[in-house]
Amino acid sequence: MENKKISQHLENTLKHLYINPLEKCNLACKICYTKKTKFVLSKEAILDFVDRYQKVQKLESITFCGGEVFLLADFVELINELTAKNIFIQIISNGTIDRLAEIKEPNMVNLIISLDGLKDYHDQNRGIGNFAKSTDLLKKAIVLGFHTEIFSIVTKENLEQIPQFEEALATICGKKMEITYHPRKPRTYLKAHPISNILGTVKGFEFLSSQEINGLMKTKQTFPPQNLGCYQISLMSNGQVYGCCEGITPLGSITTDSEELINNLKNRLAIWDHKNYNNKCLGCVEKDFVCGLTDNLKIKKYENNS
Ligand SMILES: C[S@@+](CC[C@H](N)C(=O)[O-])C[C@H]1O[C@@H](n2cnc3c(N)ncnc32)[C@H](O)[C@@H]1O
Ligand code: SF4
Ligand code: SF4
């Protein structure tokens, strides 16, 4: 890889895995983009994948997402086994299922709770009473010594409320929280993605314009980040492995050699680097997709470059 910034970033990224063991959920959020499929990865299959990965690559952390991972009966057991191996765990959760007391090493876990804005707005998407449930869990997690963070979906309706949301959250939690803002996934994303769900307009949850997405990316921590670099080996519930949590073209499957998965990821980035789509950024492994934001990020399409 010629671009040193990308190759150094990749070295760090490889020390991390993303695992999505299921798509099922206890909530039915109005604008959730995931299809609720029946696939579930067993604890044994996950541990075997991690074990094989560790044989070829230093592993420091794993992010778990879903669906809602706390629905899995043996999820906490899995977390405890992984932290005992000195692997730092991040969990993206809706924060409505409280199994915190069963987690043995809170200091080895970063709980990322999704809150979509102030109480009424959050509950309009996630269901009445869920803002209180999730913020109660968050407060408890802070007291128990978990690392904590927030993910927050942004639409036209809550964009202007961000300052009030940040203030309210700081009051509830007793400290300023780290928040990553997720612009509601654009139609171009939803149309291209194999497990995306809602394409149409949902009343009260309008997509942001390109200008609004750009403004948000410049002023706040967002996903994807403004300079990209959000690739990671990502194992999904159907056993496919992608180059990032939003991938649409697999690198292989759960049975593919870890070394081959890593090489495939590197080759994807080498293509990005070679084509020099956006020499200021850290790259993306889905060159024709880029989270459906190619126009926003002023990234030249592959066809125009070949
Ligand atoms: C699919 S959820 C799974 C984890 C968990 N159930 C939760 O809600 O946090 C993963 C993340 O995607 C976010 N998300 C869901 N629908 C979205 C959408 N349409 N646009 C952007 N982000 C979305 C959620 O808020 C959450 O932070
Ligand atoms: S956003 Fe999370 S909590 Fe809401 S339905 Fe989707 S997976 Fe479930
Ligand atoms: S498609 Fe590209 S921008 Fe989106 S998460 Fe994957 S690597 Fe990041």
Side-chain angles (χ1 to χ4, degrees):
M1 191 103 53
E2 283 164 31
N3 186 327
K4 281 269 173 313
K5 257 201 311 196
I6 292 186
S7 56
Q8 274 165 10
H9 182 68
L10 175 67
E11 285 312 309
N12 284 329
T13 299
L14 289 173
K15 293 177 195 151
H16 181 80
L17 287 173
Y18 176 95
I19 302 180
N20 192 337
L22 84 172
E23 305 296 338
K24 267 200 300 195
C25 189
N26 60 325
L27 301 187
C29 303
K30 285 196 182 128
I31 54 167
C32 177
Y33 69 101
T34 64
K35 268 194 190 129
K36 307 292 175 273
T37 57
K38 61 179 186 343
F39 301 111
V40 178
L41 293 175
S42 70
K43 179 166 106 45
E44 291 69 31
I46 293 172
L47 287 172
D48 177 59
F49 181 77
V50 170
D51 195 45
R52 283 186 287 121
Y53 191 77
Q54 279 190 303
K55 288 199 169 102
V56 301
Q57 167 64 46
K58 185 173 161 51
L59 176 66
E60 292 176 352
S61 58
I62 303 177
T63 298
F64 285 97
C65 190
E68 180 49 49
V69 282
F70 282 109
L71 277 178
L72 294 169
D74 53 7
F75 181 65
V76 175
E77 215 177 296
L78 172 66
I79 298 310
N80 288 336
E81 284 189 40
L82 291 169
T83 56
K85 290 175 196 272
N86 209 26
I87 300 173
F88 187 80
I89 300 298
Q90 302 210 90
I91 305 170
I92 304 170
S93 167
N94 62 35
T96 61
I97 301 174
D98 182 0
R99 297 188 55 193
L100 298 183
E102 297 165 61
I103 297 178
K104 287 186 183 152
E105 294 191 67
N107 191 39
M108 287 291 286
V109 176
N110 185 24
L111 264 184
I112 303 174
I113 302 298
S114 297
L115 293 173
D116 301 327
L118 295 164
K119 176 175 158 291
D120 288 350
Y121 186 81
H122 176 91
D123 284 357
Q124 200 184 323
N125 182 31
R126 293 185 183 249
I128 303 289
N130 284 320
F131 183 86
K133 254 193 198 171
S134 303
T135 48
D136 282 351
L137 181 129
L138 191 57
K139 283 189 281 184
K140 185 173 167 186
I142 293 169
V143 172
L144 288 172
F146 286 88
H147 301 266
T148 51
E149 244 181 87
I150 306 298
F151 276 2
S152 189
I153 308 173
V154 187
T155 62
K156 272 203 193 302
E157 287 78 0
N158 67 356
L159 179 66
E160 299 303 326
Q161 293 173 359
I162 285 179
Q164 293 95 301
F165 170 56
E166 292 183 352
E167 210 178 302
L169 200 55
T171 306
I172 290 169
C173 296
K175 63 174 184 174
K176 194 172 185 292
M177 297 298 292
E178 184 178 336
I179 307 175
T180 302
Y181 291 96
H182 295 228
R184 184 182 171 197
K185 298 208 184 293
R187 280 196 187 84
T188 39
Y189 172 104
L190 298 170
K191 277 188 190 139
H193 201 275
I195 55 158
S196 73
N197 200 351
I198 299 166
L199 276 179
T201 304
V202 180
K203 203 166 172 283
F205 301 92
E206 281 289 328
F207 296 99
L208 295 180
S209 66
S210 287
Q211 215 179 9
E212 287 164 335
I213 293 179
N214 275 326
L216 190 67
M217 285 179 141
K218 284 200 178 91
T219 52
K220 297 286 177 191
Q221 183 166 297
T222 59
F223 185 86
Q226 195 185 11
N227 64 347
L228 305 181
C230 29
Y231 31 84
Q232 51 193 345
I233 299 274
S234 304
L235 170 62
M236 295 302 176
S237 57
N238 61 359
Q240 295 293 297
V241 176
Y242 294 87
C244 71
C245 64
E246 309 295 3
I248 56 171
T249 317
L251 299 172
S253 78
I254 190 166
T255 54
T256 307
D257 255 17
S258 302
E259 222 160 357
E260 193 180 326
L261 293 173
I262 292 170
N263 282 336
N264 291 347
L265 182 77
K266 284 182 177 166
N267 290 340
R268 293 272 183 97
L269 279 174
I271 295 173
W272 179 282
D273 189 21
H274 178 65
K275 295 281 176 186
N276 204 11
Y277 292 97
N278 178 350
N279 60 12
K280 289 198 199 90
C281 82
L282 292 167
C284 164
V285 285
E286 296 282 357
K287 60 183 172 45
D288 297 326
F289 177 52
V290 201
C291 273
L293 294 171
T294 43
D295 294 340
N296 299 61
L297 300 169
K298 307 243 179 328
I299 289 160
K300 286 173 258 166
K301 292 246 171 74
Y302 183 64
E303 310 84 80
N304 304 335
N305 257 295
S306 47

